[in-house]
Amino acid sequence: MNVEMKRFTLMDMFPSFAGPEELDSRQIALLELCAQIGVPFPAERNKAYGNWWHSLHEIGHWAVKSDWYIDYSRYLIDELHTTWGSLDIPAGTVKGVDRDIHLPKIGRYVGGNDVIPEVGLYIDPTPGEHETRVWSLQVIEKMGWEHPFSDNTKSVFKGDHFFHKPASARVWATPQVGSPKILQKMERWGLNVPNGQFRPTDSFALPFPTPVTHLEMAENMDAIYQHCEERGLTNDERDYWLSFLQWRWSDRDLVERSQRVHLA
């Protein structure tokens, strides 16, 4: 059965803003990027987090993950639910955007603290925070945008009242772009933003994409480690992590998740 996709309005993507007059052309460019690379856009409810550079960082958390990782994350974490639809933005709606924009398929999820793909691994060998930071800085360079510091020229509180914190400065530290360790990991996953490769290129299939037991979750973890050439867990680590998985996702919860998928 064909299900008609939702038709988004521009402000569906920016629910914390009063109207298009508050938006930046870079925010629209990020909508286009999300549609291009197949990752959803974070619709932030907190206006302070809806600026372009915070959205870019959140998008990066999705972009550096492989599709199989994102699919598994959505299976396990309800907050990652994504609504897909189309979006039309007439020319002149946003200052600096002088052309009609038609996005036939774009995803939207409700952004928030740590609403990013996560599959519950004791050690996660896939691209993470550091790769997300470099990915975001590389996108800024590729787009020809200025560093986020430029949005704080009048006051450290301008643009985002959190940006004066050292944590934000660390996230956007430009020396990270030259880190051999981070770049090697990005290369291993096929990430090459300067050459237009925004997403990983690895191919992998989980043995249990919709696990119904914690042992199946553990087998998925073992398969991921083997795929990533990561060491396996010690007996103590494995016992501890199984106890966490059992606490976080009950037997009933896993069965209900599997049933929802198969009935969809």
Side-chain angles (χ1 to χ4, degrees):
M1 181 177 68
N2 292 325
V3 179
E4 185 176 354
M5 284 201 306
K6 180 178 177 64
R7 295 184 64 181
F8 291 120
T9 67
L10 177 59
M11 302 318 294
D12 285 335
M13 299 297 183
F14 302 97
S16 61
F17 291 81
E21 67 278 0
E22 294 188 341
L23 301 180
D24 185 292
S25 61
R26 290 166 294 191
Q27 292 166 306
I28 307 306
L30 291 178
L31 288 173
E32 293 185 284
L33 178 62
C34 285
Q36 173 191 337
I37 66 178
V39 300
F41 186 83
E44 294 285 350
R45 295 184 180 275
N46 184 337
K47 188 175 181 179
Y49 287 112
N51 58 65
W52 69 268
W53 46 265
H54 186 273
S55 295
L56 173 59
H57 182 79
E58 297 306 296
I59 292 165
H61 275 295
W62 292 72
V64 301
K65 298 294 190 183
S66 302
D67 286 338
W68 61 263
Y69 189 106
I70 291 176
D71 291 342
Y72 192 27
S73 298
R74 286 200 181 108
Y75 176 75
L76 294 174
I77 302 176
D78 296 334
E79 289 79 8
L80 299 180
H81 173 73
T82 299
T83 302
W84 295 92
S86 62
L87 175 63
D88 289 298
I89 308 172
T93 303
V94 175
K95 184 179 179 180
V97 181
D98 56 1
R99 57 189 172 83
D100 292 335
I101 294 175
H102 172 62
L103 304 178
K105 184 178 181 181
I106 185 170
R108 173 194 185 275
Y109 74 99
V110 179
N113 187 35
D114 290 332
V115 183
I116 58 177
E118 165 66 63
V119 299
L121 302 174
Y122 182 78
I123 301 169
D124 194 330
T126 64
E129 174 65 25
H130 296 293
E131 290 73 33
T132 295
R133 294 177 180 184
V134 170
W135 184 93
S136 301
L137 288 164
Q138 289 178 336
V139 169
I140 287 176
E141 183 174 356
K142 188 171 183 64
M143 295 287 197
W145 297 342
E146 294 185 353
H147 189 274
F149 280 173
S150 66
D151 280 6
N152 292 262
T153 54
K154 295 181 181 179
S155 166
V156 293
F157 297 100
K158 182 177 174 56
D160 175 9
H161 59 275
F162 294 112
F163 201 93
H164 67 288
K165 293 185 176 181
S168 292
R170 286 191 289 269
V171 167
W172 295 101
T174 53
Q176 298 172 100
V177 175
S179 166
K181 184 177 180 180
I182 298 174
L183 293 176
Q184 286 170 9
K185 187 168 183 177
M186 293 179 74
E187 182 181 5
R188 179 255 182 266
W189 288 87
L191 292 163
N192 192 331
V193 173
N195 288 337
Q197 185 59 50
F198 293 91
R199 299 292 315 284
T201 57
D202 74 309
S203 58
F204 173 69
L206 290 166
F208 299 100
T210 58
V212 293
T213 70
H214 301 99
L215 288 178
E216 289 180 351
M217 292 183 73
E219 289 195 39
N220 280 343
M221 182 164 58
D222 291 339
I224 292 170
Y225 290 160
Q226 184 175 3
H227 172 64
C228 298
E229 299 179 352
E230 177 70 37
R231 71 166 180 85
L233 301 186
T234 65
N235 289 336
D236 286 345
E237 290 171 336
R238 192 178 186 84
D239 289 344
Y240 168 76
W241 202 244
L242 274 174
S243 69
F244 165 73
L245 296 179
Q246 291 162 354
W247 173 78
R248 173 61 178 83
W249 290 279
S250 67
D251 293 329
R252 179 177 178 179
D253 179 65
L254 288 178
V255 170
E256 290 178 348
R257 288 179 186 278
S258 179
Q259 289 175 340
R260 288 200 300 266
V261 168
H262 291 98
L263 289 174

